[in-house]
Amino acid sequence: MKVKVISRSTDEFTRERSQDLQRVFHNFDPNLRTQEKAVEYQRALNAAKLDKIFARPFIGAMDGHIDAVSCMAKNPNYLKGIFSGSMDGDIRLWDIANRRTVCQFPGHQGAVRGLTASTDGSTLVSCGTDCTVRLWNVPVATIMDSDNSSGCSSEPRAVYMGENAFWAVDHQWNGDLFATAGAQVDIWNHNRSQPVNSFKWGTDSVISVRFNPGEPNLLVTSASDRSIILYDLRVSSPARKLIMRTKTNSISWNPMEPMNFTAANEDCNCYSYDARKLEEAKCVHKDHVSAVMDIDFSPTGREFVTGSYDRTVRIFQYNGGHSREIYHTKRMQRVFCVKFSCDASYVISGSDDTNLRLWKAKASEQLGVLLPREQKRHEYNEALKNRYKHLPEVKRIVRHRHLPKPIYKAGVLRRVMIEAERRKDQRRKAHSAPGSIVTEPMRKRRIIKEVD
């Protein structure tokens, strides 16, 4: 005779240590768990609310400059280091982890308008309105980690004179060349005191320059005549030119998709373009209520950060029309420069009130070392929010952001003006001959023409 008994090994349910959790076995049969969807929805709702409770994005301010911070540069060789330049000619190297100045680079007699570091992180290039380009030796990481390095000061390794003020500088991602922007675009070598090449298209000043991360010989510039120009160092003349209705203040390439770049514009929007197809923008990123001054892509290529004249910092998805995050403080004034950290975990902003501010890229992210159970819990909550993000209540909680009253009112006014313009266009089209007025999409509306 056969007797069936329930048997289980003691190893499956016995704790190894008294501090361990009791093992619980779940039967995931949907017939037994009829309320599974309702439970998951409630958990997603709670996860969205907890995100709001724990959203503390501001980490700290780094003060030391005595004038507005005008530009910043990352050190590709050192994760914790960032360079900043101010309007009084002061350049500093900061240790982000300890939020202190590691080294100063005195020498510029006017505002520092551009900073960039070489590929190996050993050389810093700066330029400014005093018509000079200066090369500096960067302290090695061992000096930066020491506690008594706060008084470190460095002399320039080389000083190159120009005829006009310089407004921006950028270094090749792989190579020995760097480019400066001013009355023209100059290409320099570390070992030569004169430019090895110069480009000029038009009579207005060039205000920003960026090398392509994938193709070392390709760079893009923006000028004060509202143009965006692509240059190829392998040919003697500029490649393509795009003229917009308003000026572009800064440009950043997508490091994961090097054919795409995003332009920060004076009309409060950012425009993402494909360098191979400039007749229309890939995406228009809206939300700022004043001119966008600077932009920088995350190393992941999935999002970028912008700083604006409206005293806010916003983070956008690379293909999202509206920002996913907005950062502001009562003391922060007009933001002139922003950077993502090299590990995509933090955002650094430099503003008119002489301070650099350190923010978390994810406002509610828990800092420090996470236990495996904590990590799994965070991943589970993220998966729940992503699964139920389309439901009205979860969507409302996730999207809500508290705005300062001036920015909220300016946003409302801006939406009213855009809506009034849209109604006017509709009425003009309704009372005109069919086909005489063509409505252009927003992706093409701000572009005047493309010149080859």
Side-chain angles (χ1 to χ4, degrees):
M1 184 179 68
K2 289 184 179 180
V3 178
K4 291 184 179 180
V5 296
I6 298 175
S7 64
R8 58 180 178 177
S9 171
T10 54
D11 296 336
E12 292 180 358
F13 61 89
T14 306
R15 294 182 296 177
E16 294 180 0
R17 293 184 297 271
S18 59
Q19 291 85 6
D20 290 351
L21 295 175
Q22 293 281 7
R23 295 189 181 183
V24 180
F25 296 92
H26 292 290
N27 187 341
F28 293 103
D29 183 3
N31 296 322
L32 299 176
R33 299 164 64 89
T34 54
Q35 295 296 312
E36 185 180 12
K37 292 287 185 187
V39 170
E40 275 195 350
Y41 170 71
Q42 191 60 45
R43 287 176 181 169
L45 209 57
N46 291 341
K49 291 176 182 177
L50 285 172
D51 260 7
K52 292 297 172 189
I53 293 172
F54 293 119
R56 298 287 185 272
F58 181 63
I59 297 173
M62 297 180 279
D63 58 340
H65 286 293
I66 57 174
D67 207 341
V69 181
S70 55
C71 54
M72 290 193 299
K74 289 181 279 193
N75 188 343
N77 201 32
Y78 191 61
L79 187 65
K80 296 195 296 181
I82 191 163
F83 302 97
S84 67
S86 70
M87 300 296 280
D88 65 344
D90 184 26
I91 302 173
R92 290 173 180 250
L93 172 58
W94 299 86
D95 181 0
I96 299 176
N98 299 313
R99 300 203 292 274
R100 62 184 177 88
T101 301
V102 173
C103 191
Q104 287 183 267
F105 304 90
H108 279 284
Q109 302 300 315
V112 181
R113 303 301 308 196
L115 288 174
T116 185
S118 61
T119 312
D120 58 2
S122 63
T123 303
L124 173 69
V125 183
S126 66
C127 69
T129 55
D130 57 355
C131 307
T132 62
V133 176
R134 295 171 188 260
L135 273 62
W136 314 79
N137 289 322
V138 177
V140 294
T142 53
I143 296 176
M144 293 185 65
D145 288 330
S146 63
D147 293 330
N148 58 354
S149 61
S150 56
C152 166
S153 184
S154 180
E155 292 296 320
R157 190 177 77 199
V159 180
Y160 303 150
M161 297 297 298
E163 296 179 2
N164 301 285
F166 295 104
W167 293 99
V169 65
D170 194 41
H171 200 283
Q172 278 184 322
W173 288 62
N174 290 306
D176 296 327
L177 302 179
F178 63 91
T180 57
Q184 58 188 10
V185 178
D186 293 322
I187 311 299
W188 305 74
N189 191 302
H190 285 214
N191 303 316
R192 296 187 59 177
S193 60
Q194 296 296 322
V196 296
N197 205 347
S198 293
F199 298 98
K200 193 169 185 178
W201 192 348
T203 57
D204 283 286
S205 296
V206 182
I207 55 177
S208 73
V209 58
R210 284 287 182 273
F211 272 101
N212 188 294
E215 174 50 65
N217 293 310
L218 188 66
L219 69 153
V220 63
T221 66
S222 66
S224 53
D225 63 351
R226 313 187 308 275
S227 64
I228 297 173
I229 308 174
L230 284 167
Y231 295 91
D232 193 336
L233 303 185
R234 294 165 294 189
V235 296
S236 58
S237 60
R240 302 171 80 184
K241 182 176 184 178
L242 178 73
I243 300 175
M244 300 188 68
R245 295 191 182 276
T246 45
K247 186 175 70 171
T248 296
N249 290 316
S250 184
I251 294 174
S252 183
W253 292 94
N254 188 332
M256 291 291 108
E257 299 173 352
M259 74 292 292
N260 299 332
F261 65 88
T262 303
N265 207 272
E266 197 83 6
D267 66 353
C268 316
N269 296 335
C270 296
Y271 299 89
S272 291
Y273 290 98
D274 188 331
R276 303 162 298 184
K277 185 184 176 186
L278 291 176
E279 58 262 21
E280 72 170 318
K282 285 170 65 76
C283 186
V284 181
H285 312 276
K286 310 172 185 177
D287 268 352
H288 281 296
V289 295
S290 190
V292 187
M293 303 304 292
D294 198 17
I295 182 171
D296 187 49
F297 259 97
S298 164
T300 62
R302 308 301 293 177
E303 54 190 17
F304 61 86
V305 61
T306 60
S308 171
Y309 212 70
D310 62 12
R311 307 189 297 280
T312 62
V313 174
R314 288 183 185 264
I315 299 175
F316 292 83
Q317 299 289 340
Y318 78 105
N319 57 357
H322 295 276
S323 61
R324 74 158 177 85
E325 201 64 80
I326 174 172
Y327 296 154
H328 54 87
T329 66
K330 287 183 178 179
R331 296 188 181 189
M332 186 164 70
Q333 298 303 310
R334 298 166 299 192
V335 182
F336 288 139
C337 48
V338 287
K339 285 283 184 250
F340 252 106
S341 65
C342 293
D343 60 351
S345 298
Y346 302 98
V347 168
I348 303 101
S349 66
S351 52
D352 206 9
D353 57 321
T354 75
N355 279 3
L356 274 75
R357 286 181 172 80
L358 187 62
W359 312 83
K360 290 189 278 190
K362 294 180 180 176
S364 58
E365 187 178 26
Q366 184 178 340
L367 297 179
V369 180
L370 293 180
L371 297 172
R373 285 180 55 228
E374 289 179 315
Q375 185 66 38
K376 286 179 182 177
R377 185 67 183 175
H378 288 316
E379 291 171 358
Y380 178 62
N381 285 343
E382 285 297 321
L384 283 177
K385 285 189 296 180
N386 192 48
R387 184 173 188 178
Y388 293 97
K389 63 184 179 183
H390 60 283
L391 295 178
E393 194 65 14
V394 177
K395 188 177 182 180
R396 181 186 67 81
I397 295 170
V398 169
R399 287 183 58 188
H400 177 73
R401 295 290 180 276
H402 174 73
L403 296 176
K405 189 177 286 186
I407 294 170
Y408 177 77
K409 287 186 174 179
V412 171
L413 179 62
R414 183 169 166 76
R415 286 191 291 273
V416 169
M417 291 165 62
I418 292 172
E419 181 63 21
E421 188 178 347
R422 187 187 66 81
R423 284 200 308 269
K424 187 176 181 179
D425 287 343
Q426 281 184 340
R427 289 167 182 165
R428 186 185 288 119
K429 189 173 182 179
H431 292 84
S432 301
S436 61
I437 295 179
V438 179
T439 304
E440 281 190 313
M442 187 65 183
R443 298 192 304 275
K444 289 185 177 182
R445 200 176 304 161
R446 304 299 298 176
I447 298 172
I448 295 178
K449 64 176 180 177
E450 183 187 359
V451 184
D452 287 326

